[in-house]
Amino acid sequence: MAIATINPTTGETLRVFDEIGDAEIERKIGLAHERWRSYRSTSFAQRAEWLRASADLMEKDVEELARLMTTEMGKTLDSARAEVRKSANGMRYYAEHAEGFLADEPLADPSVVGASRALGRYQPLGVVLAVMPWNFPLWQVMRFAAPALMAGNVGLLKHASNVPQSAVYLEEVLRRGGFPEGCFQTLLISARKVEPILRDPRVVAATLTGSEPAGRSVAAICGDEVKHTVLELGGSDPYVVMPSADLDAAVATAVRGRVQNNGQSCIAAKRFIVHTDIYDAFAEKFVERMRALRVGDPLDEATEIGPLATEQGRTDVEELVADAVGSGAKVLCGGQRPDRPGWFYPPTVITEITRDMRMFGEEVFGPVASLFRVADIDEALEIANATSFGLGSNAWTNDPVEQDRFIDELYAGQVFINGTTTSYPELPFGGVARSGYGRELSAHGIREFCNLKSVWIG
Ligand code: NAP
């Protein structure tokens, strides 16, 4: 894939970047490694000052930055602005809490291990490579970079090839905020250049947010090299609605959950599993709202859904829909690309999906909802868990017994009751099964790239 900004609204190539060569990669890894030797002993206060300054700069740049993201990957301007603010808040969160999260953990009674003092101490690992996706060009990177930098690691970023200007901006804003050269560097490289970097002994760990094949590749190489990884991969989140739910709220949130980021979010609700007693009412209201969404130029403030980010992304969605329809699924709205330039795909609702259809098991990365009718909570849980993914999950019910069952029995990294999965700096974020492993955000996220060193003093 070329490293280029191609506007998904028009299909026009706006800027092409040359991939950096091996000598430049070598220079950047060397610089990162050298920088880590001094950066690791900077104080939390100093790192926090630089991170807060970077967050302030990002917020000042909000309009320009939002337009850049919208132009590179098609999200609406409003959601791009929200992403800038969310990223800045996440940076401030780690600036404030990192020192507390990484405080020494003394053993209350060191005599049980024959010591006068014993404790756990969190220390940085070194140079970490982050391989990141295009769908949240700032937020995905910052939720790695903010904790990693606060912990005293240094970062190398291999961003998705279709958001190169966002990638360049990220290095630049952290430098402007005060971080010394080499603390965080963007590598404009294609995916095939990742392997030698992972195998370089100066790079000690990696994190990847993206698809399952990319995660598998990075994890296999890091396994071979015995290097720690965090994987944040795909999801096909269930969204169960039971009879006691507030139906109007469940419908409104379902629409928002499915079409956020033009339907391209790992934690978007994707499979809507509705109890038979309220199925018809839910389906009618849901389809009506999905059909009414305004699809258009994401730079237009009135637009609610922009184009998909890449031509291939739209082709993938179309193939999944065609496969389902060819095997008997029913389209309740949408399902046909509009006749206009750009990679648009309409909000779509599909029902009568069977297990032999690709859509049943695969992630649909676009504004397409699958709708299932179930007889009771047991069937709802069975369908919700009939997936190889396990990222987010959602259930709507006001019955406390049902709430407990969903909390206990949904096999996922997160469960949202009467809501839709969202990431917050304060909540651990991550998946199980094919959605990956490890956690981002909260205290858990910053500890992923630390060595918890046991200290024993006789
Ligand atoms: P992708 O194709 O896997 O790309 C993600 C990143 O990995 C890009 O930087 C890509 O580089 C790189 N990459 C691809 N193949 C690679 C390989 N074999 N070795 C090393 N790097 C490789 O995924 P995407 O299409 O950008 O993103 C969509 C996927 O990400 C969806 O499945 C979504 O659910 C998932 N996602 C998960 C989370 C989460 O937190 N769990 C968050 C957001 C998105 P190039 O661009 O150069 O190919």
Side-chain angles (χ1 to χ4, degrees), residues 1 131-136 140 143 158-162 189-191 194 208-214 217-218 232-235 265-266 270 363 365 391 429 435 440:
M1 193 198 278
V131 182
M132 290 288 150
W134 45 263
N135 61 343
F136 294 94
Q140 294 295 350
R143 69 190 205 182
K158 184 270 180 274
H159 214 329
S161 293
N162 57 330
I189 53 168
S190 59
V194 167
L208 179 137
T209 301
S211 63
E212 199 185 321
S217 166
V218 164
E232 295 287 0
L233 308 180
S265 169
C266 53
K270 293 176 182 132
E363 178 183 31
F365 221 52
L391 194 54
F429 185 98
S435 291
E440 290 189 299

Side-chain angles (χ1 to χ4, degrees), residues 305-338:
I305 303 196
L308 298 191
T310 63
E311 191 168 18
Q312 183 60 48
R314 182 173 66 174
T315 305
D316 292 345
V317 170
E318 285 181 328
E319 284 176 4
L320 286 171
V321 172
D323 171 78
V325 172
S327 301
K330 237 170 92 184
V331 178
L332 300 184
C333 68
Q336 293 288 337
R337 70 159 80 169

Side-chain angles (χ1 to χ4, degrees), residues 271 273 355 360-361 380-389:
R271 297 176 297 131
I273 301 162
R355 287 170 202 247
F360 189 87
L381 280 162
E382 196 280 318
I383 292 185
N385 288 333
T387 169
S388 57
F389 295 110

Side-chain angles (χ1 to χ4, degrees), residues 142-160:
M142 273 307 166
R143 69 190 205 182
F144 154 73
L149 288 167
M150 281 307 301
N153 296 295
V154 302
L156 294 172
L157 169 67
K158 184 270 180 274
H159 214 329

